[in-house]
Amino acid sequence: MSSLLFCTRHLANSEEQMLLAEDGPDLIHSLDPRRCCNINAGGSANYKCGEEKNECLATYESLDYLPSHSEAYKKWLQEKAYRTDWDRWLLMGLIGIGVGMLGFLTHQIIDCLIKLKWKLVENYLQNGNFHMTWICILGSGLAMILVSSGFVVFFCPAGVPCGLPEVTGFLNGASIQNVFNIKTFLGTFVSCVLAVASGLFCGPEGPMIHLGAIIGCGLSQLKSDTLGIHLPFFTRFQNSADKRNFITAGAGAGIASVFRAPVGGLLFTLEEVASFWDVRLAWQTFFCCLMATFTTDLLSSSLDGFVYRGHFGFFEAEKGILFWVKNLLDLSILAFIPTIFLGILGGLLGALFVSLNIKINKLRMRFFSSISKLFLRKTSKLLESMMILVCTVTITVYLPYFFPCTPVRTLRTFQLKNNTEITKEFKREIAEYTCTPGTPWIGPDGVKYYNQTFNQAAALLAENGRRGIAYLFKRGTHEEFGYTSLFIAVAFYFLLSCWTAGSAVASGLVIPMLYTGALYGRIVGLILVSIFGVQTNGYGAWIDPGLFAAIGAASFVSGVSRLTVSLTVIMIEITNDVQSLLLVMVAVMVAKMIGDWFNLPLYSSLLKLKCIPYLDSEPFAGQRKKWLNLELFSARDVMEPCVRVLHLKEKIVSLAQLLANTSHGGFPVVYKSEPDQAEVFLGTITRLELCMLLENEPIFETETNEDTFSCDLLLSYQKHFREYIML
C-alpha cells in the first residue's frame, strides 16, 4: 500500500514548458513546489532542481490539518466534550517542563565534559607541553566525535542530522518521515552534547529546537510505534492540527530553555518556524515557553555539575541571564553611525556565510552520493566530522602558543563598581593557558587589584563559545583583546563553523553566529577607541568595544538568519542591556535588508537544498525570469480539465488503478441523484484516506448491493488515523 501512497511521476525539465502556454502563463506548473525556477529577484537564489530532486519532492505528502467532515468524524466528535481546553493547557505545561529539564541536562553534561577534558591537560599546560596537550585534547575529542557522528549516521533513521529545516517543513504541511522518531530523539541528544563538548565550533541551540519539537509531539500523542507504546490518553489530540500546535510550542520551548528567553522563544516560533498561527496558540506557546524557562532556572539555581549547591529556588541574575551585561552605558546619537556600519557588515558577511555554507553542503552531498556502497558512504561522513575536529583542535591548541600573556585590564570606573568581582572573570585555567597565576592585593585606595594575566587566543578559541561571548560582551575592557587575536579568531571561527554546519553531527549555529559577530563588532569598537581614545566621561562612555560586540553579534545573526523581532528580544533577554535596544534594532534591520539583496536566509536555503516542500504565505509565479502579478488572474487560470473524480461507490480495482497511475494527494467526490441530472460536487477524499479504506476489507460491499448505500459499515475515525499519526 505504501507504493500506492508514494507513487511518483516524472515531470518535464523544460522551463519554457513550465512557464509558457499558448494563451499565456501556465500558473499551474509555475506554482508547482516540485519545480525550482531559475528566477533571480530580490531575496531569491538560483537553485536548479534536477530530475532526481523533482522525484524526491514528489514523494512528499501534505498533511491534512482540516478534518474531513465525514459521518465517521461527526460520530467521533459527538463523543468528545465540547470547548474544554484544560487538557490542552496541561499538555502545554508538561511539554514546557520536559523541555526545560532536557535543556538543563544538556548544559550540565556539556559543561561537565568540557571541564573534565581540560582537567586532563592542566599539568601539561602549566609545563608548556603543547604536544601532549594536543594529543590528549584530540584523543578525547575524537572519542566524542566518533560516538556523536556514529549515532547520527548509524543510529538515526534518516542517517543525516535533522534540525530546523525539517521542523519548519513539517509545520508548513509536509509529511516528513522519521523526524519525530524516538530513535531520532536519542541520536540527536547524544550527538549534540558530544559534538559541543568535543571542541567543534557549534552550539546546542538548533538541536534543542528539534528536541523540543519531538517532546511536543511525543507527549501530545502518547504513542510510539518504535517502542510499541499506545496509551489511551488525550486521544482527541491525535490529529494533524493539534499535533502541529504542540510541536510548534515544543520548538519555542527549546529556544526559551537554551537561552532563558521565554518571550524570544515565542517570537522565534512566530517569525521563523510556524506557518499556522492564531491568538490561542500564541497564549499556549507563551505558557509552554514560560514553564520551560522556569524549569531550567529552578534546576540551575541549586545544581551545578549535578552536585547540589544549596539555595534551591533562589534565582541568581548571573546564572539566569546568559551573557549578563552588568554595566549599562549612556548612549549618544553618534553611536548610530558605527551601528549602521555594523549592520551593513553583518548583512554582507551573513550573505557570504550562507552562500559559502550552501556551496560546501552541495559539494558534500555530491561527494557522498558518488559513493555507491552505503557503509562506505556513512563511514565517509564520520571521517569528515573527525577531520573537522582535527583541524579545530590543532588551531585551538597551537595558535595560543604564538600569543604572549596579557594582563587583565579593567577601567577603574568599573573596578570601583565591582571591586568584589574583578577576580572572577578570568578564573579558568583555559584562558590563563601557560601564563603565570596572578596574586591579589588591596591598594591604598581600598580597591582590590589583581595582576592576573591571560592568553588572548586561548580565551577566544580554546574556551567554549558561551564563555568567549561573555568575555567579548564585557564592558570596560577596552584593551584586553588586541587586533591580531580578534582578526585571527574571527577568520578561523567563520570558516570552521561554516564547514562544521551540515556535517554528520547534530549541531547548532546560533552560538557560532553570535561569536563571529561579537568578534568583528569588538574590532569596530577597538578602532573607535584607537581613534578617540578611552573615554571615561559620561558623553563618550558609549565608545566601548563590549557594546559594539553585542551589536555586531546581533547583526551577524540577522545577516545569516534574517530574523528581526525575535532576535532583538532574545538579545535583550540574554544580555539584560535594555539601554542598547534601539542600536540592536537598527543593526538587525540593516543587516536583514543588506542580506536579502544577495540570497535567501540560511534555513530557507537549506529547505531548498534538501528539497523539502515549503509553501510561502504569498505564492510566487514567474515567466521569463520575471515575477507575475497574480491579482491579474482568475480562478480558471489555475484549473485543469479532465479531472479524475470518484463516486460514492467505486470498485476496488478502479481505486487501486487510480492510486497506482496518479500521484494526486486528493480526489473530488461527485454524486448524481438522478440519471438525467448533472453530477454534484460533494467534497474531497485524500489519497491517504483511500489507502486506509482499501486496507480494511470488512467495510467492502458486494456488487449485489450496488443500488443502496449503507452507513452502517463505517471505519472509525480513531482507526483511520492510527497509522497516520506516528512518532
Side-chain angles (χ1 to χ4, degrees), residues 509-521:
L509 267 178
V510 180
I511 288 295
M513 288 190 294
L514 287 172
Y515 206 175
T516 303
L519 287 168
Y520 71 71

mmCIF file with all atom_site columns, all heavy atoms in Angstrom, residues 509-521:
data_model
loop_
_atom_site.group_PDB
_atom_site.id
_atom_site.type_symbol
_atom_site.label_atom_id
_atom_site.label_alt_id
_atom_site.label_comp_id
_atom_site.label_asym_id
_atom_site.label_entity_id
_atom_site.label_seq_id
_atom_site.pdbx_PDB_ins_code
_atom_site.Cartn_x
_atom_site.Cartn_y
_atom_site.Cartn_z
_atom_site.occupancy
_atom_site.B_iso_or_equiv
_atom_site.pdbx_formal_charge
_atom_site.auth_seq_id
_atom_site.auth_comp_id
_atom_site.auth_asym_id
_atom_site.auth_atom_id
_atom_site.pdbx_PDB_model_num
ATOM 1  N N   . LEU A 1 509 ? 23.957 26.603 15.136 1.00 0.00 ? 509 LEU A N   1
ATOM 2  C CA  . LEU A 1 509 ? 24.752 27.697 14.586 1.00 0.00 ? 509 LEU A CA  1
ATOM 3  C C   . LEU A 1 509 ? 24.591 29.020 15.327 1.00 0.00 ? 509 LEU A C   1
ATOM 4  O O   . LEU A 1 509 ? 25.287 29.979 15.003 1.00 0.00 ? 509 LEU A O   1
ATOM 5  C CB  . LEU A 1 509 ? 24.387 27.920 13.111 1.00 0.00 ? 509 LEU A CB  1
ATOM 6  C CG  . LEU A 1 509 ? 25.224 27.204 12.067 1.00 0.00 ? 509 LEU A CG  1
ATOM 7  C CD1 . LEU A 1 509 ? 24.697 27.489 10.670 1.00 0.00 ? 509 LEU A CD1 1
ATOM 8  C CD2 . LEU A 1 509 ? 26.681 27.636 12.153 1.00 0.00 ? 509 LEU A CD2 1
ATOM 9  N N   . VAL A 1 510 ? 23.693 29.094 16.295 1.00 0.00 ? 510 VAL A N   1
ATOM 10 C CA  . VAL A 1 510 ? 23.414 30.387 16.921 1.00 0.00 ? 510 VAL A CA  1
ATOM 11 C C   . VAL A 1 510 ? 24.617 30.889 17.713 1.00 0.00 ? 510 VAL A C   1
ATOM 12 O O   . VAL A 1 510 ? 25.016 32.051 17.590 1.00 0.00 ? 510 VAL A O   1
ATOM 13 C CB  . VAL A 1 510 ? 22.171 30.297 17.824 1.00 0.00 ? 510 VAL A CB  1
ATOM 14 C CG1 . VAL A 1 510 ? 21.887 31.648 18.477 1.00 0.00 ? 510 VAL A CG1 1
ATOM 15 C CG2 . VAL A 1 510 ? 20.969 29.850 17.005 1.00 0.00 ? 510 VAL A CG2 1
ATOM 16 N N   . ILE A 1 511 ? 25.212 30.038 18.541 1.00 0.00 ? 511 ILE A N   1
ATOM 17 C CA  . ILE A 1 511 ? 26.394 30.449 19.308 1.00 0.00 ? 511 ILE A CA  1
ATOM 18 C C   . ILE A 1 511 ? 27.553 30.825 18.384 1.00 0.00 ? 511 ILE A C   1
ATOM 19 O O   . ILE A 1 511 ? 28.184 31.872 18.577 1.00 0.00 ? 511 ILE A O   1
ATOM 20 C CB  . ILE A 1 511 ? 26.808 29.334 20.292 1.00 0.00 ? 511 ILE A CB  1
ATOM 21 C CG1 . ILE A 1 511 ? 25.798 29.246 21.441 1.00 0.00 ? 511 ILE A CG1 1
ATOM 22 C CG2 . ILE A 1 511 ? 28.202 29.595 20.851 1.00 0.00 ? 511 ILE A CG2 1
ATOM 23 C CD1 . ILE A 1 511 ? 25.748 30.465 22.331 1.00 0.00 ? 511 ILE A CD1 1
ATOM 24 N N   . PRO A 1 512 ? 27.891 30.030 17.348 1.00 0.00 ? 512 PRO A N   1
ATOM 25 C CA  . PRO A 1 512 ? 28.934 30.491 16.413 1.00 0.00 ? 512 PRO A CA  1
ATOM 26 C C   . PRO A 1 512 ? 28.594 31.803 15.720 1.00 0.00 ? 512 PRO A C   1
ATOM 27 O O   . PRO A 1 512 ? 29.486 32.634 15.498 1.00 0.00 ? 512 PRO A O   1
ATOM 28 C CB  . PRO A 1 512 ? 29.025 29.335 15.403 1.00 0.00 ? 512 PRO A CB  1
ATOM 29 C CG  . PRO A 1 512 ? 28.577 28.144 16.154 1.00 0.00 ? 512 PRO A CG  1
ATOM 30 C CD  . PRO A 1 512 ? 27.502 28.635 17.071 1.00 0.00 ? 512 PRO A CD  1
ATOM 31 N N   . MET A 1 513 ? 27.327 32.017 15.375 1.00 0.00 ? 513 MET A N   1
ATOM 32 C CA  . MET A 1 513 ? 26.961 33.285 14.738 1.00 0.00 ? 513 MET A CA  1
ATOM 33 C C   . MET A 1 513 ? 27.111 34.451 15.707 1.00 0.00 ? 513 MET A C   1
ATOM 34 O O   . MET A 1 513 ? 27.613 35.523 15.344 1.00 0.00 ? 513 MET A O   1
ATOM 35 C CB  . MET A 1 513 ? 25.524 33.196 14.210 1.00 0.00 ? 513 MET A CB  1
ATOM 36 C CG  . MET A 1 513 ? 25.363 32.309 12.992 1.00 0.00 ? 513 MET A CG  1
ATOM 37 S SD  . MET A 1 513 ? 23.730 32.426 12.209 1.00 0.00 ? 513 MET A SD  1
ATOM 38 C CE  . MET A 1 513 ? 22.673 31.732 13.468 1.00 0.00 ? 513 MET A CE  1
ATOM 39 N N   . LEU A 1 514 ? 26.672 34.273 16.948 1.00 0.00 ? 514 LEU A N   1
ATOM 40 C CA  . LEU A 1 514 ? 26.849 35.317 17.952 1.00 0.00 ? 514 LEU A CA  1
ATOM 41 C C   . LEU A 1 514 ? 28.331 35.613 18.177 1.00 0.00 ? 514 LEU A C   1
ATOM 42 O O   . LEU A 1 514 ? 28.737 36.774 18.300 1.00 0.00 ? 514 LEU A O   1
ATOM 43 C CB  . LEU A 1 514 ? 26.195 34.897 19.268 1.00 0.00 ? 514 LEU A CB  1
ATOM 44 C CG  . LEU A 1 514 ? 24.665 34.914 19.343 1.00 0.00 ? 514 LEU A CG  1
ATOM 45 C CD1 . LEU A 1 514 ? 24.192 34.284 20.651 1.00 0.00 ? 514 LEU A CD1 1
ATOM 46 C CD2 . LEU A 1 514 ? 24.143 36.336 19.232 1.00 0.00 ? 514 LEU A CD2 1
ATOM 47 N N   . TYR A 1 515 ? 29.122 34.553 18.216 1.00 0.00 ? 515 TYR A N   1
ATOM 48 C CA  . TYR A 1 515 ? 30.557 34.707 18.477 1.00 0.00 ? 515 TYR A CA  1
ATOM 49 C C   . TYR A 1 515 ? 31.251 35.437 17.326 1.00 0.00 ? 515 TYR A C   1
ATOM 50 O O   . TYR A 1 515 ? 32.037 36.362 17.547 1.00 0.00 ? 515 TYR A O   1
ATOM 51 C CB  . TYR A 1 515 ? 31.182 33.328 18.687 1.00 0.00 ? 515 TYR A CB  1
ATOM 52 C CG  . TYR A 1 515 ? 32.422 33.333 19.547 1.00 0.00 ? 515 TYR A CG  1
ATOM 53 C CD1 . TYR A 1 515 ? 33.039 32.143 19.903 1.00 0.00 ? 515 TYR A CD1 1
ATOM 54 C CD2 . TYR A 1 515 ? 32.980 34.509 19.997 1.00 0.00 ? 515 TYR A CD2 1
ATOM 55 C CE1 . TYR A 1 515 ? 34.168 32.119 20.699 1.00 0.00 ? 515 TYR A CE1 1
ATOM 56 C CE2 . TYR A 1 515 ? 34.107 34.503 20.790 1.00 0.00 ? 515 TYR A CE2 1
ATOM 57 C CZ  . TYR A 1 515 ? 34.703 33.310 21.143 1.00 0.00 ? 515 TYR A CZ  1
ATOM 58 O OH  . TYR A 1 515 ? 35.815 33.302 21.928 1.00 0.00 ? 515 TYR A OH  1
ATOM 59 N N   . THR A 1 516 ? 30.952 35.037 16.110 1.00 0.00 ? 516 THR A N   1
ATOM 60 C CA  . THR A 1 516 ? 31.568 35.679 14.952 1.00 0.00 ? 516 THR A CA  1
ATOM 61 C C   . THR A 1 516 ? 31.213 37.165 14.902 1.00 0.00 ? 516 THR A C   1
ATOM 62 O O   . THR A 1 516 ? 32.071 38.025 14.677 1.00 0.00 ? 516 THR A O   1
ATOM 63 C CB  . THR A 1 516 ? 31.124 34.984 13.660 1.00 0.00 ? 516 THR A CB  1
ATOM 64 O OG1 . THR A 1 516 ? 31.459 33.594 13.726 1.00 0.00 ? 516 THR A OG1 1
ATOM 65 C CG2 . THR A 1 516 ? 31.804 35.607 12.448 1.00 0.00 ? 516 THR A CG2 1
ATOM 66 N N   . GLY A 1 517 ? 29.935 37.487 15.091 1.00 0.00 ? 517 GLY A N   1
ATOM 67 C CA  . GLY A 1 517 ? 29.527 38.885 15.090 1.00 0.00 ? 517 GLY A CA  1
ATOM 68 C C   . GLY A 1 517 ? 30.134 39.668 16.229 1.00 0.00 ? 517 GLY A C   1
ATOM 69 O O   . GLY A 1 517 ? 30.506 40.845 16.064 1.00 0.00 ? 517 GLY A O   1
ATOM 70 N N   . ALA A 1 518 ? 30.247 39.041 17.405 1.00 0.00 ? 518 ALA A N   1
ATOM 71 C CA  . ALA A 1 518 ? 30.861 39.726 18.541 1.00 0.00 ? 518 ALA A CA  1
ATOM 72 C C   . ALA A 1 518 ? 32.334 40.028 18.285 1.00 0.00 ? 518 ALA A C   1
ATOM 73 O O   . ALA A 1 518 ? 32.849 41.065 18.720 1.00 0.00 ? 518 ALA A O   1
ATOM 74 C CB  . ALA A 1 518 ? 30.707 38.873 19.802 1.00 0.00 ? 518 ALA A CB  1
ATOM 75 N N   . LEU A 1 519 ? 33.016 39.157 17.561 1.00 0.00 ? 519 LEU A N   1
ATOM 76 C CA  . LEU A 1 519 ? 34.436 39.380 17.274 1.00 0.00 ? 519 LEU A CA  1
ATOM 77 C C   . LEU A 1 519 ? 34.645 40.593 16.371 1.00 0.00 ? 519 LEU A C   1
ATOM 78 O O   . LEU A 1 519 ? 35.439 41.482 16.684 1.00 0.00 ? 519 LEU A O   1
ATOM 79 C CB  . LEU A 1 519 ? 35.031 38.122 16.630 1.00 0.00 ? 519 LEU A CB  1
ATOM 80 C CG  . LEU A 1 519 ? 35.254 36.929 17.573 1.00 0.00 ? 519 LEU A CG  1
ATOM 81 C CD1 . LEU A 1 519 ? 35.561 35.669 16.782 1.00 0.00 ? 519 LEU A CD1 1
ATOM 82 C CD2 . LEU A 1 519 ? 36.389 37.225 18.544 1.00 0.00 ? 519 LEU A CD2 1
ATOM 83 N N   . TYR A 1 520 ? 33.920 40.654 15.236 1.00 0.00 ? 520 TYR A N   1
ATOM 84 C CA  . TYR A 1 520 ? 34.148 41.811 14.368 1.00 0.00 ? 520 TYR A CA  1
ATOM 85 C C   . TYR A 1 520 ? 33.492 43.071 14.940 1.00 0.00 ? 520 TYR A C   1
ATOM 86 O O   . TYR A 1 520 ? 33.926 44.189 14.643 1.00 0.00 ? 520 TYR A O   1
ATOM 87 C CB  . TYR A 1 520 ? 33.695 41.533 12.931 1.00 0.00 ? 520 TYR A CB  1
ATOM 88 C CG  . TYR A 1 520 ? 32.221 41.455 12.674 1.00 0.00 ? 520 TYR A CG  1
ATOM 89 C CD1 . TYR A 1 520 ? 31.392 42.569 12.719 1.00 0.00 ? 520 TYR A CD1 1
ATOM 90 C CD2 . TYR A 1 520 ? 31.637 40.239 12.302 1.00 0.00 ? 520 TYR A CD2 1
ATOM 91 C CE1 . TYR A 1 520 ? 30.045 42.486 12.453 1.00 0.00 ? 520 TYR A CE1 1
ATOM 92 C CE2 . TYR A 1 520 ? 30.292 40.145 12.020 1.00 0.00 ? 520 TYR A CE2 1
ATOM 93 C CZ  . TYR A 1 520 ? 29.500 41.275 12.106 1.00 0.00 ? 520 TYR A CZ  1
ATOM 94 O OH  . TYR A 1 520 ? 28.163 41.189 11.835 1.00 0.00 ? 520 TYR A OH  1
ATOM 95 N N   . GLY A 1 521 ? 32.467 42.911 15.772 1.00 0.00 ? 521 GLY A N   1
ATOM 96 C CA  . GLY A 1 521 ? 31.910 44.076 16.450 1.00 0.00 ? 521 GLY A CA  1
ATOM 97 C C   . GLY A 1 521 ? 32.899 44.668 17.427 1.00 0.00 ? 521 GLY A C   1
ATOM 98 O O   . GLY A 1 521 ? 33.014 45.907 17.539 1.00 0.00 ? 521 GLY A O   1
#
